[in-house]
Amino acid sequence: MTWLLAITAGVLFAAGLYMILRRSLVKILVGLALLSYAVNLLLFNSAPLLPARPPLLPPGNGAPPEVYADPLPQALILTAIVISFGVTAFAVVLMRQVYGTLGTDDLNEMRCTDVPCEEVEIASEEEQMEEPL
Amino acid sequence: MIALPLLLPLAFAILNVLAWKSPRGQRALSLVGVALQSGAAFWLLGRVRAEGILHLPVGNWPAPFGIVLSADLFSALMLCLSAVVGLAAALYSQGGMDERRVRHGYYPLFFFLLTGVNGAFLAGDLFNLYVWFEVMLMASFVLIALGGERPQVEGAIKYVVLNLLASTLFLSAVGLLYNLCGTLNLADLARRLPGLEAGGEGTLIAVLFLVAFGIKSAIFPLFFWLPASYHTPPVTITALFSGLLTKVGVYALYRVFTLLFVPQGGYLPTLLLVLAGLTMTTGVLGAAAQMDFRRLLSFHIISQIGYLLMGLGLFSPAALAAGIYFMVHVVLAKTALFFVAGLVRQMEGSYHLKELGGLYARRVGLALLFLLPALSLAGLPPLSGFFAKLALVLAGFELRAYAIVGVGLGVSLLTLYSMTKVWNEAFWKERKEMGAASLQPVSPWMWAATLGLVAVSVAAGLLAGPLLDLSAQAAAQLSDPSGYIQAILGGAP
């Protein structure tokens, strides 16, 4: 089981990295989602997977059982899922905004902030203001 | 109550959301908020100086099991810096932030950003650190795109994607570390890691942390998102980011590489120093090619990160102390420079150095406000940059690290060249045509914020002695983890 999860996490990492290297915004979005799944699986795998060993104290006796599953990674994943949900939702809105403002989803056409292109900066002052984030 | 610098911005973020309909109310609230936050931060610094490392087990769960907030001198110093930058930025926003952005939630985001930054400085647990990083990132994502102008959304895409990638790597490192040690409490990790002989897995985790925090703090091969995005939002937001965000990345590097993976022997010191040298050089060379005021300053952020990394890479108490003092210097000087750039833009209608000119003849006061932090950044006495670099160079000589010292001094000269270029273009030469730029009146708030921050920056140079002493104490705490472990875990097994 550990091996299966490890290989799945690896495949997800590879696919996610490949996708965020693409030029299209939507593919980058998919890549980010895949990466967050990969990390969640990795976290899931970070404590030994023990079936049917709940981390519960037996009634009456104060000492925990000798072998019990570690519940902490699940708690970490839950937090990570919530965070990645929020981040992905924001990324979707941002990319919609980018598409609305620039009319393209090709990253190669978004070089305005890397190379000087003055006319765009001046033109943008008042025009694209009706749909703020 | 060491959580106060964390709770105050959070409370004011919520209060600002409640005052959503009233921009004037939000402006007033923000001033109260940053003032209280500064009080809390300096009070905490005083307490940490008097009582040593403090910690708060959240929910009263004892240290290695529950989450702890911890404050040593380095954390407290960083909290003070964030409070000063927050105070200056809130003052500057009174005049420098347009009504539209305030109506769309600038102030709540501002305080959420401060919450995240302060939380990261107080976190005593790696997963908690991750969560605060995300709080800070979410706020910064929205701030950078707020307004939705074309360059902004383009910059935001690059910023968001690369920072999310960094978060992914950070979280992977956390997972692997949990697998290795079974704990995420920083003090507990610091206690267990040295005995583990982690070998290959330890190296993998260390390098994952280096890459993840390296992206966030914009070190050499990982900095490309910074000059592509930092100059796009209004200058108040850029100044806030330049003062706080990359520095949180550097703080995390200092924390992880003093407590968990100590760069003594092995590949780490060399790697850190090589990266430091390359970060300085590429940053300053990138700046030399720029003609846009904000882009030029953005490249200088990268170059200064190199010096901070150099302090960590040398890893002697003296070098760490120099690095911490350098942090104080660079946060103040850099933020002040961005404020000046904003003033120039407000008065002359442009950020472009070719279009500017003649400012010295017409606005001597503004020229002085630029000159002081600019010369400080280049490292001229008696300003803070000089003492910071002097301390770093002396620490380097002590360790016979002549190569990195040479690079540092060379980059310092190039920084001076770059600042001279700005001076020549914007302040000295005749302005070609006055242009049709509508000269807006500059709000007294913006003057006050810039003046105040420049004054604090100059004071940091004049008070170099006491500040260096304080940095040395903070560095002593960093370079001896046993004190930290003892303070957090006490006598716990």
Side-chain angles (χ1 to χ4, degrees):
Chain A
M1 192 61 186
T2 306
W3 278 101
L4 186 64
L5 285 177
I7 291 169
T8 317
V11 170
L12 281 173
F13 263 117
L17 275 179
Y18 175 75
M19 288 302 260
I20 65 166
L21 293 174
R22 305 287 295 268
R23 275 161 47 186
S24 153
L25 284 180
V26 180
K27 285 172 185 156
I28 291 175
L29 196 63
V30 173
L32 287 175
L34 287 180
L35 279 178
S36 73
Y37 299 153
V39 181
N40 289 343
L41 267 188
L42 186 87
L43 279 176
F44 187 62
N45 227 356
S46 65
L49 298 171
L50 300 169
R53 303 247 183 235
L56 299 173
L57 297 180
N61 181 3
E66 261 176 41
V67 185
Y68 59 94
D70 186 352
L72 192 75
Q74 274 89 328
L76 300 185
I77 297 172
L78 213 56
T79 318
I81 288 175
V82 173
I83 290 175
S84 70
F85 169 75
V87 167
T88 313
F90 173 75
V92 172
V93 176
L94 177 69
M95 287 178 182
R96 187 176 161 276
Q97 171 95 353
V98 171
Y99 186 74
T101 311
L102 300 152
T104 174
D105 76 333
D106 187 348
L107 270 189
N108 273 8
E109 290 175 32
M110 297 179 200
R111 300 177 55 216
C112 177
T113 60
D114 290 317
V115 293
C117 62
E118 284 132 38
E119 68 280 1
V120 180
E121 282 199 38
I122 293 160
S124 69
E125 290 282 302
E126 288 297 324
E127 288 166 18
Q128 291 103 0
M129 287 203 166
E130 63 280 4
E131 197 181 15
L133 274 172
Chain B
M1 189 67 180
I2 73 165
L4 216 51
L6 179 60
L7 294 177
L8 278 172
L10 184 62
F12 275 88
I14 294 166
L15 285 177
N16 271 309
V17 174
L18 294 179
W20 187 269
K21 292 253 157 47
S22 155
R24 285 188 59 192
Q26 288 190 32
R27 284 184 198 273
L29 265 179
S30 75
L31 288 183
V32 180
V34 289
L36 285 179
Q37 188 206 349
S38 309
F42 281 96
W43 171 76
L44 185 63
L45 180 66
R47 264 195 67 188
V48 172
R49 277 193 79 174
E51 299 172 31
I53 300 171
L54 299 173
H55 76 289
L56 171 78
V58 179
N60 215 10
W61 290 91
F65 305 111
I67 287 173
V68 287
L69 297 177
S70 64
D72 62 357
L73 265 178
F74 185 37
S75 304
L77 212 56
M78 294 303 293
L79 284 172
C80 289
L81 278 179
S82 113
V84 170
V85 171
L87 183 63
L91 283 174
Y92 200 84
S93 312
Q94 301 289 321
M97 187 50 57
D98 49 291
E99 189 76 12
R100 222 183 99 254
R101 285 192 171 85
V102 174
R103 283 193 180 281
H104 286 108
Y106 167 72
Y107 280 113
L109 290 165
F110 175 89
F111 279 104
F112 277 125
L113 184 79
L114 285 176
T115 312
V117 169
N118 289 352
F121 291 150
L122 283 172
D125 178 287
L126 269 179
F127 195 77
N128 201 224
L129 183 66
Y130 166 77
V131 173
W132 291 122
F133 256 107
E134 291 301 306
V135 171
M136 174 185 97
L137 280 181
M138 273 313 275
S140 71
F141 289 165
V142 187
L143 275 177
I144 208 167
L146 190 69
E149 291 165 26
R150 177 173 177 160
Q152 274 191 293
V153 290
E154 271 190 33
I157 279 287
K158 295 157 196 172
Y159 178 75
V160 168
V161 171
L162 284 176
N163 275 291
L164 285 184
L165 181 65
S167 298
T168 311
L169 294 175
F170 180 13
L171 198 54
S172 317
V174 168
L176 292 174
L177 198 56
Y178 186 74
N179 181 22
L180 191 65
C181 299
T183 177
L184 289 173
N185 182 292
L186 279 169
D188 206 18
L189 283 170
R191 192 176 57 172
R192 287 180 193 213
L193 264 176
L196 269 177
E197 304 285 336
E201 205 175 342
T203 309
L204 173 69
I205 296 167
V207 171
L208 270 176
F209 275 126
L210 182 62
V211 174
F213 296 139
I215 295 179
K216 288 180 197 289
S217 57
I219 65 175
F220 161 61
L222 311 164
F223 63 77
F224 293 98
W225 57 270
L226 194 148
S229 63
Y230 260 31
H231 63 287
T232 56
V235 76
T236 322
I237 296 176
T238 312
L240 192 64
F241 282 14
S242 84
L244 296 178
L245 296 195
T246 47
K247 308 307 179 283
V248 179
V250 177
Y251 167 84
L253 279 175
Y254 267 63
R255 194 52 86 201
V256 165
F257 285 100
T258 53
L259 270 179
L260 310 186
F261 304 97
V262 179
Q264 271 169 337
Y267 61 98
L268 261 177
T270 328
L271 182 64
L272 284 175
L273 285 179
V274 168
L275 287 178
L278 286 170
T279 309
M280 289 178 206
T281 330
T282 43
V284 83
L285 290 180
Q290 300 302 323
M291 285 310 268
D292 180 301
F293 211 148
R294 288 173 303 169
R295 274 179 72 86
L296 189 145
L297 290 177
S298 301
F299 271 103
H300 276 296
I301 299 177
I302 299 164
S303 156
Q304 306 299 317
I305 297 288
Y307 287 98
L308 297 172
L309 207 57
M310 173 179 163
L312 182 62
L314 291 172
F315 205 77
S316 64
L320 285 176
I324 293 170
Y325 180 68
F326 203 100
M327 184 86 91
V328 177
H329 145 68
V330 77
V331 167
L332 297 173
K334 198 82 238 181
T335 315
L337 279 175
F338 272 109
F339 281 176
V340 173
L343 284 177
V344 168
R345 153 81 200 225
Q346 191 89 347
M347 289 193 221
E348 304 284 310
S350 176
Y351 285 115
H352 205 276
L353 292 180
K354 280 199 178 124
E355 292 166 12
L356 294 169
L359 274 169
Y360 178 65
R362 283 176 287 128
R363 317 210 182 251
V364 185
L366 184 64
L368 269 179
L369 282 184
F370 169 76
L371 203 58
L372 285 170
L375 291 181
S376 176
L377 202 68
L380 263 69
L383 298 161
S384 54
F386 169 73
F387 297 107
K389 281 177 184 159
L390 183 69
L392 263 182
V393 165
L394 288 179
F397 277 147
E398 222 169 74
L399 298 166
R400 298 176 192 286
Y402 298 116
I404 189 74
V405 169
V407 174
L409 291 176
V411 169
S412 193
L413 267 184
L414 286 173
T415 312
L416 185 59
Y417 155 74
S418 183
M419 288 300 142
T420 319
K421 184 176 93 178
V422 177
W423 178 258
N424 280 343
E425 293 286 336
F427 293 89
W428 204 249
K429 77 163 193 255
E430 295 272 320
R431 183 161 185 174
K432 291 222 175 58
E433 84 274 15
M434 276 311 282
S438 56
L439 303 186
Q440 292 157 325
V442 176
S443 139
W445 290 105
M446 292 166 77
W447 278 111
T450 316
L451 196 66
L453 203 59
V454 170
V456 173
S457 162
V458 171
L462 298 178
L463 296 175
L467 273 175
L468 270 169
D469 281 346
L470 192 64
S471 313
Q473 288 170 23
Q477 286 182 353
L478 281 183
S479 46
D480 180 21
S482 60
Y484 186 81
I485 298 169
Q486 183 68 31
I488 306 285
L489 297 178

